[in-house]
């Protein structure tokens, strides 16, 4: 079995994907259940995501969902991967995380991203434009200032109960976002593992331009990607089928659907374009047996110098998903938490 550098951490991001035949409330309840499972397995963090108006994703309010996860667990760190800052006022985000940290002290992470709404209609509903992402650095500085009491955008206004609290911030980034994280002196969460050259270039840029800050004295890199583990490589690849088809459908029909069973997908008629997108969606992810996955992740950690791996896996069969996380925990040598 492969070995990892001392101190390497493994964490989980769940996007609250819906399955055919189930509703969104069930997907949210299953996210909370999964959090309890991965906590017991010894994972370091459990994060939830933000998506608005996407049919196949139930997680639209990550700080609310994080509160439910934190209340159902006791030791795993809980956070967001992430709150999309262009969609919100920084004061409100600070207040929400201040409440979370007050209720669950020492366990909350603040993962922040720069994406805007999925479609023009969603952006209009949120009251945001595409160019809001261009102001991410400015908004991020304001957000951090609400915690330190040093923000200057709104004199004599204070974020309660956030001011004075220490909620670890992380920047979710691709490309130029790595430079924003470095300039702010914040930990970087970056993916995915499939585009290795681009990933390595962004990580190198981040480390080279990192400026120490009150939030982080040195660079901290979290690499994120899809990982699937099963008894055989073929079974692990099959776990990737529902998400690959969902992506192919969304890119040809404009709608992101609920996950379907692999056996149904495998007999579906596909256009040439859909077939190409579907096959591409299956390639490059870390998948296989425990030994194969451990070796692949060890290689990724060595190449990137990452201190942490954030795993996200979406598949139709929830029992197989749980088993994948159990196998991964064993493969990378996590120590189970004793209740």
């Amino acid at each position: 079995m492969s070995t990892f550098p001392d101190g390497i951490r493994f964490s989980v991001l769940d996007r609250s994907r819906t399955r055919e035949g189930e509703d969104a409330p069930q997907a949210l309840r299953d996210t909370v259940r999964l959090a309890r499972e991965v906590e017991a397995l010894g994972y370091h963090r459990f994060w939830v995501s933000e998506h608005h108006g996407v049919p196949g994703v139930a997680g639209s309010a990550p700080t609310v969902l994080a509160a439910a996860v934190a209340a159902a667990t006791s030791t795993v760190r809980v956070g967001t991967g992430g709150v999309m800052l262009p969609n919100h006022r920084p004061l409100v985000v600070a207040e929400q995380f201040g409440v979370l940290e007050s209720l669950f002290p020492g366990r909350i992470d603040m993962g922040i991203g720069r994406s805007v709404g999925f479609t023009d209609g969603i952006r209009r509903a949120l009251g945001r434009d595409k160019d809001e992402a261009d102001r991410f650095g400015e908004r991020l500085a304001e957000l951090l200032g609400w915690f330190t009491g040093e923000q200057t955008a709104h004199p004599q206004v204070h974020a309660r109960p956030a001011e004075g609290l220490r909620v670890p911030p992380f920047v979710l980034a691709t490309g130029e976002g790595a430079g924003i994280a470095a300039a702010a002196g914040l930990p970087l969460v970056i993916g995915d593992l499939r585009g290795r050259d681009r990933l390595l270039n962004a990580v190198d840029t981040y480390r080279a331009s990192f400026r120490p800050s009150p939030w982080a004295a040195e660079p901290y890199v979290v690499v994120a990607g899809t990982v699937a583990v099963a008894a055989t490589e073929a079974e692990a690849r099959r776990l990737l089928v529902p998400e690959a088809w969902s992506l192919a459908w969304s890119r040809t029909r404009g709608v992101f659907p609920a996950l379907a069973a692999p056996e149904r997908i495998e007999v579906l008629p596909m256009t040439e374009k859909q077939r190409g997108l579907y096959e591409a969606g299956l390639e490059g992810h870390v998948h296989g047996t425990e030994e194969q996955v451990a070796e692949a992740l060890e290689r990724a950690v060595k190449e990137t110098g990452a201190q942490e791996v954030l795993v996200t896996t979406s598949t139709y069969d929830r029992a197989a998903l749980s088993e994948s996380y159990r196998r991964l925990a064993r493969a990378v040598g996590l120590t189970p938490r004793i209740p």
Side-chain angles (χ1 to χ4, degrees):
M1 193 67 71
S2 299
T3 58
F4 291 88
D6 291 341
I8 188 74
R9 294 163 167 168
F10 290 87
S11 300
V12 171
L13 166 66
D14 189 66
R15 294 190 294 127
S16 302
R17 293 288 273 114
T18 59
R19 275 75 176 164
E20 286 188 343
E22 79 171 26
D23 57 15
Q26 182 61 50
L28 294 171
R29 290 191 293 269
D30 281 328
T31 288
V32 176
R33 176 192 56 77
L34 181 62
R36 290 195 293 265
E37 290 182 7
V38 302
E39 175 181 56
L41 291 169
Y43 287 92
H44 183 61
R45 310 179 202 277
F46 186 89
W47 282 6
V48 296
S49 62
E50 175 182 335
H51 296 274
H52 297 283
V54 181
V57 184
S60 57
T63 53
V64 177
L65 184 52
V69 169
T73 56
S74 58
T75 56
V76 69
R77 295 196 63 88
V78 177
T80 54
V83 165
M84 296 302 150
L85 195 54
N87 295 337
H88 309 281
R89 299 297 299 182
L91 170 62
V92 175
V93 175
E95 290 172 335
Q96 290 173 346
F97 279 97
V99 170
L100 283 170
E101 177 64 19
S102 298
L103 293 173
F104 309 101
R107 292 181 56 212
I108 300 300
D109 299 321
M110 184 170 61
I112 301 296
R114 65 191 296 269
S115 295
V116 291
F118 185 59
T119 66
D120 288 339
I122 292 171
R123 287 190 288 273
R124 285 194 295 270
L126 291 169
R128 294 293 184 264
D129 297 317
K130 279 185 178 181
D131 59 6
E132 285 289 334
D134 297 333
R135 302 179 62 192
F136 179 67
E138 173 190 339
R139 297 292 195 188
L140 179 62
E142 180 186 335
L143 172 62
L144 299 179
W146 289 116
F147 287 92
T148 63
E150 297 171 337
Q151 68 83 26
T152 58
H154 305 279
Q156 300 181 344
V157 180
H158 299 271
R160 311 291 188 198
E163 189 171 311
L165 296 180
R166 297 283 295 184
V167 182
F170 296 75
V171 173
L172 281 65
T174 55
E176 66 181 275
I180 295 173
L186 299 181
L188 173 70
V189 182
I190 189 163
D192 63 42
L193 292 170
R194 293 192 296 176
R196 193 64 56 87
D197 289 342
R198 183 180 179 186
L199 174 65
L200 292 175
N201 288 336
V203 169
D204 288 344
T205 297
Y206 166 72
R207 287 203 176 96
S209 54
F210 182 86
R211 300 176 187 172
S213 74
W215 301 97
E218 56 188 26
Y220 188 92
V221 175
V222 183
V223 292
T226 295
V227 179
V229 195
T232 67
E233 184 176 359
E235 289 177 40
R237 189 175 190 273
R238 205 156 187 261
L239 294 179
L240 304 173
V241 165
E243 186 70 18
W245 171 242
S246 186
L247 287 169
W249 182 267
S250 72
R251 290 173 183 172
T252 53
R253 298 296 184 92
V255 177
F256 206 92
L259 298 174
E263 55 269 22
R264 191 176 84 77
I265 294 168
E266 289 165 348
V267 298
L268 285 174
M270 300 184 192
T271 66
E272 183 177 348
K273 183 176 182 180
Q274 285 176 333
R275 175 66 64 181
L277 290 167
Y278 168 67
E279 294 292 346
L282 291 171
E283 298 304 318
H285 299 295
V286 175
H287 72 282
T289 63
E290 291 176 32
E291 183 174 320
Q292 289 172 322
V293 166
E295 290 177 355
L297 289 178
E298 181 186 24
R299 187 163 56 251
V301 167
K302 286 182 177 178
E303 289 177 356
T304 61
Q307 288 95 337
E308 188 168 343
V309 178
L310 181 65
V311 176
T312 180
T313 307
S314 295
T315 195
Y316 177 82
D317 187 332
R318 291 195 181 277
L321 176 64
S322 295
E323 179 64 15
S324 178
Y325 281 124
R326 280 193 293 271
R327 288 180 177 275
L328 176 60
R330 191 163 56 230
V332 300
L334 297 186
T335 301
R337 290 184 173 92
I338 299 174

